[in-house]
Every structure is written in C-alpha cells, then in structure tokens.
Amino acid sequence: MLDIKNLHASIDNNKILNGIDLEIKAGEVHAIMGPNGSGKSTLASVLAGRSEYEITDGTVTFNGKDLFELEIEERAREGLFLAFQYPQEIPGVNNVYLLKAAVNAVRKHRGLDEFDAYDFLSLVREKIKFMEMDEKFLHRGVNEGFSGGEKKRNEILQMLMLEPKLAVLDETDSGLDIDALKVVSKGVNAMRSDERGILMVTHYQRLLDYIKPDFVHVLMNGKIVKSGDHTLALELEAKGYDWLLDAEAA
Amino acid sequence: MKAIEDQIANKYKHGFVTDIESDTLPPGLDEDVVRHISRIKNEPEFLLNFRLKAFAHWKTLPKPDWAKLKIEPIDYQAISYYSAPKIDENAPKSLDEVDPKLLETYDKLGIPLHERARLAGVAVDAVFDSVSVATTFKDTLHKAGVIFGSFSEAAQNYPELIEEYLGTVVPIEDNFFAALNSAVFTDGSFVYIPKGVRCPMELSTYFRINAANTGQFERTLIIAEEGSHVSYLEGCTAPMRDENQLHAAVVELIAQKDAEIKYSTVQNWYPGDENGLGGIYNFVTKRGDCRGDRSKISWTQVETGSAITWKYPSCLLKGDYSVGEFYSVAVTNNYQQADTGTKMIHIGKNTKSTIIAKGISAGKSNSSYRGLVKILPSAENARNYSQCDSLLMGSTCGAHTFPYIEAKNPTAKIEHEATTSKVSDDQLFYCRQRGISEEDAVNMIVNGFCKSVFQELPMEFAVEAQALLAVSLEGAVG
Ligand SMILES: Nc1ncnc2c1ncn2[C@@H]1O[C@H](COP(=O)(O)OP(=O)(O)OP(=O)(O)O)[C@@H](O)[C@H]1O
Ligand SMILES: [Mg+2]
C-alpha cells in the first residue's frame, strides 16, 4: 500500500532524509525507532505533504498513486493519516466541528453520503467512550489547553473516526501516563486490520509491548540502517544506537 | 474620488434640475438645498430648523483629517443631496441585467432567489411580492404598541417624539459628518418601544418595505422606554448595489431605566476592487445613551465592506448600574482601510462596559482599533474589560491598536488585553492533513477567532456572517 523508494528530502538545503526504502503492505504494523534528530518526524511530514521540505530524489507510491502528485488534503482523503508529535491548537474551533468537517470530507471523497448530525454524534460518542475521554472535550477548542496526553488521545480519536488506510503515528506514546498508554494502544489495536497499514514512530520498547509490530526499523542520519522483527526493539533497549553507527561505518 | 465625480457629473449631464417638485437636486450644497429637502419631505418646522442649524454649524467646520486613513479629499459640492429612488433609470430591470459576479456572491451566501433581485437593486415593481410578509409583521408589532417605520413617516406621525429625542444623543455639533448628516439626512429608521414592552420580534431593516435607497445620509433613532427590550438588526449580509460613494449615517439609541437595546450590524458594502479602485466611504456616528439606571446597550458589528470605514459605536453610561457592550469583527482585504472602535463613557455609579474587538487583515489592507474608555469623576466603581485581538493573513497587511484610557475616579477597575496572531501554516497543515480543504480550513480558523463576537449575534445573522466572512477572505491565503 505504501512503497517508499530511495527517498531523499532536504529543508533549507540541509539534507535530512538520505535514501529511505520502506514498503508497508496492508495488514502490517511497522515501528521506526532512532535517535533524536535522525529524521523520523521529517519522514512523517514528507509523507503527509508539508511544503517546507524539498524532495530531491526518490518516489513514494500510495495505493498505486504517486503520492507527490497529491495535495495534502487529497492524501488525507485517500486514507493517509498522521497523528502529530505536536498536535496544533486551534482556538475557538470546536473539536467536534473539526472532526465532523474532516469525516465528511473523507466520506465525500469515498463517494459516501455526508453524516447527518445524529449519526455523526452517535458515532463520536461511541468512539470517545472507547478512548475513555470526557465528552466535554468535544466542545472545547481543538487541542486548546489540552494536556500533552489529552492531545495524543484526541489524535487517536480522530484516527478512529477517520478510519484511514495508513496511519502514521509520530511518538503518540510520548508523554502518556501508564493508563493513557493502555488506552491509546487499545485505540491503535482496534485499528489493526488486514486492510490497514500502521507506521509508528517511537522511542520506547514499552509501546511495543502493547502494540506488537511486524517489523522494526532503525532510522539514523536519514537512512534506515537496520530492520528486523520486534526483538530488534529489545536489542536497542539494551544496547542503544551507537553500535549500529559503528556497524554502518564499518 | 475622481471616479465618483465623473459618475456624478455623468448622471447629471442633462442639465440641472431645480424644480422643487422634481425628484433630483443638482449637485451642490447650500441653505436652499437643505430647505428643499425639508420641503419635499413636508417636514414640521422644528425639523427644518434642526437642519438649518446643523448646516450653519457644518459650514464652520474644517474638513477632518485622520492620521491612519488615506483619504482623497471629498468634494462636497460635487454630490447631489436628494434623489428619489424611482428616478434611478440605471437600475437593472431584471436579474439578467445584474452583474454575474454579484449573483455568484448571493449564491455563496445562500440568499434565497426571490431576495436576490431586491438586493441587487432591481426596480421595485419587478420584484417579488413582499407585502404579505411585511403586513403580518406590522400587525404583530402594532398589537404590542411598537412603532417601527421609516424616519420620514415618523416625522409625519409622531413629530413630538422626534422633536423630543432627535439630536439628544448625537448633537449636531458632534463631528463633521454628524453635522452634515443632520443637515441633509434623507431617511432611515425610527423605533419606539413603549414602557415594559418586550419587542415580540427582532426588528430588521430587511423587513421595512421602503428600506431600499434610504441613501447615503441615513438617520436612525431608537427609543426604548422604561423596562422595555428590543433587538434591532441593521442591514443585511448581502452586498448592496449602491451608487453612492460617500455614506455618513447617524444612529441614536436611547435606553431608559431598566431598558435594553441590542443593535446588530452586518455591513458589506462594496469595498472596491482588488486594486483599490472604487468602493464606499463609510463614516458613521453611532451612539447609545444609557439614560436610566440599570439600562443596557450592546453593539455587535461585523464589518467586511467599504473601501474606507470610520466608525465608533459608543455608549454613554449615565444611569447607575448601566451596562455598555461592544462586540466587533472587522475584516479588511485588498486595499481596504478600517478605523473602528468604540467609546465607553462612564458617568453613572457602578457602570460596566465590555469591549471585544476582533480585527482580521488580509491582502494589503490596514485596520486600526481605536478605543476610548473614559471614567468621569462621578462614576464610582466603574468597571471596564477590553480585549482586542488581531489576526493577520499574509505579510503585507497591518493591524494597529490604540487603546485610550482616561480614568478620573480612583475606584475604577480597567482591564485591557491585546493579542496579535497569524493564521499559522502549522494550523492549516493540521486541518488539511485531516482532509479539510485549505479554503475551509482558513474559514474554520477565522470563524474560531471570531467566535466570541458571533455568538452575540442573533442566530440567523451569525450564520450569514460566517458565510460572509468566507466570501470576503476568499483567496486570502495560499
Ligand atoms: N529548517 C531546518 N533547517 C535545518 N535543519 C532542520 C530544519 N528543520 C528540521 N531540521 C533538522 O532535521 C533533523 C530531523 O528532524 P526530525 O524532527 O525529523 O527528527 P526526529 O527523528 O523526529 O527527532 P525526535 O526524536 O527528537 O522527534 C533535525 O536534526 C532537525 O534539527
Ligand atoms: Mg520527531
């Protein structure tokens, strides 16, 4: 469903991604780990279409389409979802309002009828309950004054509502307390299906105890330097990243 | 200004009409013109005297000069001060003759088809039948004892009310444009709510049959007697076809003891084109007088139109415990200039005022907020809260805030907050990543910014205001 080939990207003439190859098939869960500044969020942003980045080489196909031919919102409507490392606050815009606009935009693209207010609300209520969030979050401004953990839960709520084909989760586990981590993991696991791909960026093996990935990749200096199964995460936890650098240099 | 002069010159090239019986006066302003207007309208003596006094005063005034607005000098002798509506032979005869761009806008605003003709200024007899709506409306009001009609009608039917209240809130000496308006005003609205009456419906000029073409010097007077309540909606969100470039209206509100007046405006006059050509100059004096104890006046306005707007709806808080409120959204795009704000004058004890002003600037436009909070020595325990927020779209526009505070009583509590923000790329990216188009995302963010003002508007007005904002800011980002 997602096929990244030799992807190079830079920002303000600084090369950040230096030839990434990664294929995610429907039904698979991939985890990307790597030191701070290695380019994990950059990869997520490039996939989502942030215009600040210049794609200097490589291709990405998503569901058979050239991803770079699509506008940001078109990618989203095609089923690409990014749970942000730092979700934006949009003061005064009701959380539920944004959610409804988003869901209906995606539904429209898929040739489905827009939800009416009643159907939409019943669905939202079901999902917000599943995420163990208070309904009052629906009527607050988008992420306005949310705590770090509340923002992350809200991202997952949006994901559950939008039912994407590919979910890219950028450090969704950072800043979560133990209970919240369980709830967020429950949300992500609920999304696992044969039709869906998931790409999770994380620093912690702990998350992978809850969401067991099929593949683990290590990103360093804008390149995937090692891939393996979930045991690779355990190895990283024990050894850190340095040994990989040495291995790469060697 | 050249453009209007040409237009005016053009319109009257067939020679001057001096006959009193005729519908149009030639351009120019002198005492005779003032007398003519009064005579055509068959006004009572006191009203003529009011006009003459105003005119005599106006002549002595220097032309105003504003630091922040760039205004070409206006030639007051090049304007015609009276033109009856029916003579307008340039009016389109049907919707087919109306500028398609205007129709497109109506479409986007969701204005019903039969309304579009009226708004576009299609000659009245060609327009749908609104009489039945208006009649039911008048009946209901009549039963409640509410007087609502044109100013001219009221001058005929209720001269004693007009004589008692006209010019008591905005005296003819108030400012240059108030003096001009007082001399040459043509028509406007008159509202009287008797003691203890809660007006059974929102009053809207929209429903006043003769609302069309009240022209450039509009005069409105609203009186709320003790314990009464009224909500008045001025204008309409659709762009009006209007050939007058200079507008100088005066609005006076009077709230007696325990009375409440809520005055809402959505103004969308022609702002000029993308290059700053044309557009209406809007100089308005609006003032509310909280005369009685515990009276309340709130101004809510959404301003997106006009090339130049100069407007400060104000409150005189005379009664003890009286309350003044000002909620405003001012949008400027392209080359528009807006200089708006409010004045809250605290005179009575325990008076309270709230100011929420939201400015949105896009394109090459400039907007200024100018607010005066004045606490007189008599105003024991006065309180004011002001919040001025500016939202910038792009980097070629500007927003300026000038809060003036004069507190002459040490018990006053005054709070002022101001912010300036931008529609950020991160916010737009976030919305678009959720599948929302850039345009919808901008609208969403802007509406969020304006929320605390929009929620003060009557429901259907708020919906229209949102749609209007979307149209005004089309293409402002990206
Ligand atoms: N405008 C810019 N100019 C130069 N370098 C930039 C710019 N923007 C980002 N970078 C750099 O790109 C690199 C990759 O950043 P990115 O956010 O992708 O890292 P990350 O792997 O997500 O890190 P973390 O684990 O801390 O979230 C960083 O070194 C960052 O400083
Ligand atoms: Mg990151």
Side-chain angles (χ1 to χ4, degrees):
Chain A
M1 93 168 10
L2 183 77
D3 196 4
I4 304 174
K5 286 210 169 82
N6 192 33
L7 180 61
H8 287 71
S10 56
I11 185 163
D12 300 336
N13 293 321
N14 299 293
K15 292 180 170 178
I16 312 290
L17 301 183
N18 298 304
I20 292 193
D21 290 287
L22 178 64
E23 192 186 353
I24 299 178
K25 295 203 181 79
E28 292 176 352
V29 175
H30 292 241
I32 289 193
M33 304 182 81
N36 294 131
S38 57
K40 303 180 298 296
S41 294
T42 302
L43 175 62
S45 298
V46 165
L47 292 177
R50 260 215 98 117
S51 57
E52 285 85 343
Y53 297 96
E54 195 193 343
I55 313 298
T56 49
D57 204 358
T59 57
V60 178
T61 38
F62 178 52
N63 289 328
K65 292 187 180 162
D66 179 352
L67 192 69
F68 298 140
E69 288 293 309
L70 303 176
E71 292 288 336
I72 301 164
E73 55 269 41
E74 289 169 335
R75 298 178 194 197
R77 292 172 195 165
E78 282 286 320
L80 181 85
F81 179 89
L82 171 59
F84 288 83
Q85 184 174 1
Y86 304 107
Q88 279 296 308
E89 301 199 8
I90 310 178
V93 176
N94 259 350
N95 208 17
V96 69
Y97 185 81
L98 176 107
L99 206 51
K100 190 170 177 205
V103 168
N104 280 334
V106 170
R107 283 180 70 88
K108 199 170 156 200
H109 182 77
R110 293 180 186 164
L112 299 169
D113 282 343
E114 294 191 358
F115 271 127
D116 66 28
Y118 181 82
D119 290 344
F120 177 77
L121 267 181
S122 10
L123 188 66
V124 157
R125 291 222 170 92
E126 180 197 316
K127 302 291 184 199
I128 202 166
K129 208 168 153 201
F130 185 76
M131 288 308 293
E132 298 172 35
M133 289 166 77
D134 196 304
E135 277 192 26
K136 67 173 194 272
F137 282 104
L138 289 177
H139 303 287
R140 281 173 61 176
V142 175
N143 294 319
E144 194 180 355
F146 287 22
S147 76
E150 288 164 351
K151 284 181 183 167
K152 298 295 173 80
R153 271 193 213 218
N154 198 40
E155 294 289 289
I156 299 303
L157 173 69
Q158 293 178 344
M159 178 182 76
L160 293 177
M161 291 296 296
L162 289 167
E163 304 186 325
K165 296 199 183 100
L166 176 73
V168 180
L169 312 176
D170 193 356
E171 295 198 26
T172 302
D173 55 332
S174 301
L176 294 182
D177 65 37
I178 318 260
D179 292 334
L181 181 66
K182 283 185 187 158
V183 173
V184 161
S185 304
K186 181 174 79 169
V188 175
N189 282 323
M191 288 299 289
R192 275 183 103 144
S193 93
D194 292 345
E195 289 100 60
R196 235 170 239 135
I198 296 175
L199 178 63
M200 317 187 275
V201 172
T202 183
H203 285 294
Y204 307 108
Q205 139 69 23
R206 196 186 48 178
L207 175 73
L208 308 182
D209 289 339
Y210 293 100
I211 310 167
K212 197 169 157 208
D214 302 303
F215 302 93
V216 174
H217 311 278
V218 182
L219 188 69
M220 288 178 86
N221 299 323
K223 267 177 106 156
I224 291 179
V225 295
K226 195 169 177 60
S227 298
D229 63 12
H230 70 276
T231 56
L232 177 57
L234 292 168
E235 200 176 348
L236 293 171
E237 185 104 319
K239 298 206 257 178
Y241 293 109
D242 281 353
W243 61 284
L244 285 166
L245 256 191
D246 301 341
E248 194 196 14
Chain B
M1 212 53 206
K2 192 78 180 73
I4 340 166
E5 280 169 31
D6 286 350
Q7 195 192 322
I8 290 163
N10 197 21
K11 204 164 171 182
Y12 301 107
K13 70 180 171 209
H14 303 300
F16 293 144
V17 193
T18 45
D19 184 359
I20 303 160
E21 296 303 314
S22 82
D23 293 289
T24 303
L25 287 175
L29 182 54
D30 58 18
E31 201 180 297
D32 277 346
V33 168
V34 175
R35 286 179 187 280
H36 280 172
I37 295 170
S38 187
R39 209 172 321 158
I40 291 166
K41 299 184 139 311
N42 192 27
E43 286 178 350
E45 177 94 19
F46 81 86
L47 212 47
L48 172 65
N49 291 338
F50 178 84
R51 288 179 184 276
L52 290 174
K53 215 172 117 199
F55 180 68
H57 180 69
W58 180 76
K59 279 193 302 186
T60 67
L61 297 174
K63 290 183 183 173
D65 172 38
W66 293 284
K68 276 280 162 206
L69 295 181
K70 296 188 188 82
I71 304 176
E72 295 285 318
I74 299 169
D75 181 356
Y76 295 91
Q77 296 302 336
I79 296 170
S80 167
Y81 289 85
Y82 185 81
S83 171
K86 63 182 169 209
I87 196 164
D88 194 353
E89 71 238 357
N90 296 328
K93 306 279 179 297
S94 77
L95 271 181
D96 299 339
E97 291 178 28
V98 174
D99 181 359
K101 250 191 170 164
L102 195 62
L103 293 179
E104 204 178 293
T105 309
Y106 292 163
D107 203 36
K108 284 183 193 147
L109 289 172
I111 306 285
L113 257 180
H114 61 270
E115 270 301 308
R116 296 182 194 182
R118 191 180 68 81
L119 294 169
V122 173
V124 182
D125 47 3
V127 180
F128 78 110
D129 163 47
S130 71
V131 177
S132 56
V133 184
T135 317
T136 16
F137 179 72
K138 285 219 151 156
D139 262 7
T140 315
L141 291 180
H142 187 76
K143 278 189 195 123
V146 170
I147 303 170
F148 176 42
S150 74
F151 194 93
S152 309
E153 265 167 43
Q156 302 300 319
N157 302 332
Y158 312 98
E160 62 302 331
L161 283 175
I162 304 252
E163 185 167 12
E164 185 180 345
Y165 290 104
L166 183 71
T168 62
V169 185
V170 179
I172 53 176
E173 301 84 8
D174 195 79
N175 67 69
F176 184 84
F177 291 107
L180 179 62
N181 174 289
S182 300
V184 301
F185 68 86
T186 32
D187 213 335
S189 299
F190 177 79
V191 176
Y192 179 83
I193 316 288
K195 189 171 165 179
V197 170
R198 216 187 148 83
C199 188
M201 61 180 66
E202 259 145 17
L203 299 181
S204 163
T205 45
Y206 200 72
F207 280 117
R208 225 190 54 216
I209 324 182
N210 49 4
N213 252 306
T214 40
Q216 52 199 135
F217 302 106
E218 199 167 340
R219 187 93 195 186
T220 296
L221 179 58
I222 300 179
I223 303 152
E225 291 284 16
E226 188 178 329
S228 69
H229 179 283
V230 63
S231 168
Y232 181 89
L233 316 183
E234 177 197 276
C236 149
T237 53
M240 302 287 275
R241 177 179 178 274
D242 193 328
E243 278 159 9
N244 301 312
Q245 187 151 16
L246 172 67
H247 276 246
V250 170
V251 176
E252 297 179 279
L253 312 183
I254 294 140
Q256 304 287 19
K257 211 165 108 185
D258 295 307
E260 183 176 342
I261 302 176
K262 196 168 166 55
Y263 191 106
S264 313
T265 311
V266 174
Q267 186 265 112
N268 186 25
W269 278 325
Y270 183 53
D273 67 12
E274 310 83 72
N275 303 314
L277 286 174
I280 297 213
Y281 293 10
N282 189 22
F283 302 99
V284 188
T285 308
K286 288 183 161 174
R287 194 168 304 149
D289 186 345
C290 285
R291 242 169 238 192
D293 293 350
R294 292 171 305 277
S295 57
K296 177 174 173 185
I297 289 180
S298 16
W299 299 101
T300 307
Q301 59 175 34
V302 176
E303 303 271 330
T304 69
S306 298
I308 295 179
T309 302
W310 176 86
K311 183 174 173 185
Y312 306 91
S314 308
C315 294
L316 302 172
L317 303 171
K318 291 185 191 157
D320 292 347
Y321 294 94
S322 61
V323 175
E325 294 174 339
F326 175 76
Y327 301 98
S328 161
V329 167
V331 182
T332 52
N333 199 353
N334 297 323
Y335 286 85
Q336 278 177 281
Q337 305 175 61
D339 197 310
T340 66
T342 185
K343 290 178 198 157
M344 293 290 176
I345 315 294
H346 292 251
I347 302 163
K349 295 189 184 66
N350 299 300
T351 45
K352 200 173 117 185
S353 62
T354 303
I355 299 171
I356 311 279
K358 305 271 180 180
I360 301 165
S361 315
K364 296 197 161 50
S365 68
N366 259 297
S367 73
S368 302
Y369 168 82
R370 220 177 276 278
L372 170 67
V373 176
K374 192 169 181 171
I375 315 280
L376 296 188
S378 53
E380 209 61 33
N381 292 318
R383 278 192 293 154
N384 163 268
Y385 173 74
S386 303
Q387 187 187 328
C388 308
D389 300 321
S390 309
L391 186 68
L392 304 178
M393 305 176 80
S395 51
T396 51
C397 53
H400 318 269
T401 306
F402 305 94
Y404 303 99
I405 296 167
E406 284 175 36
K408 303 229 169 76
N409 185 310
T411 60
K413 281 206 191 85
I414 299 174
E415 285 174 74
H416 179 89
E417 286 176 33
T419 66
T420 301
S421 52
K422 275 193 141 187
V423 174
S424 79
D425 291 343
D426 288 332
Q427 287 173 331
L428 285 177
F429 182 67
Y430 188 81
C431 295
R432 294 177 71 191
Q433 210 303 305
R434 296 301 180 249
I436 296 163
S437 72
E438 181 164 32
E439 206 174 311
D440 289 348
V442 170
N443 288 335
M444 207 180 263
I445 293 167
V446 168
N447 278 314
F449 173 76
C450 299
K451 193 172 179 182
S452 52
V453 173
F454 283 173
Q455 68 196 14
E456 295 297 324
L457 286 171
M459 186 60 179
E460 71 278 17
F461 234 36
V463 174
E464 287 181 45
Q466 288 191 13
L468 178 62
L469 224 60
V471 172
S472 311
L473 290 172
E474 218 160 71
V477 161

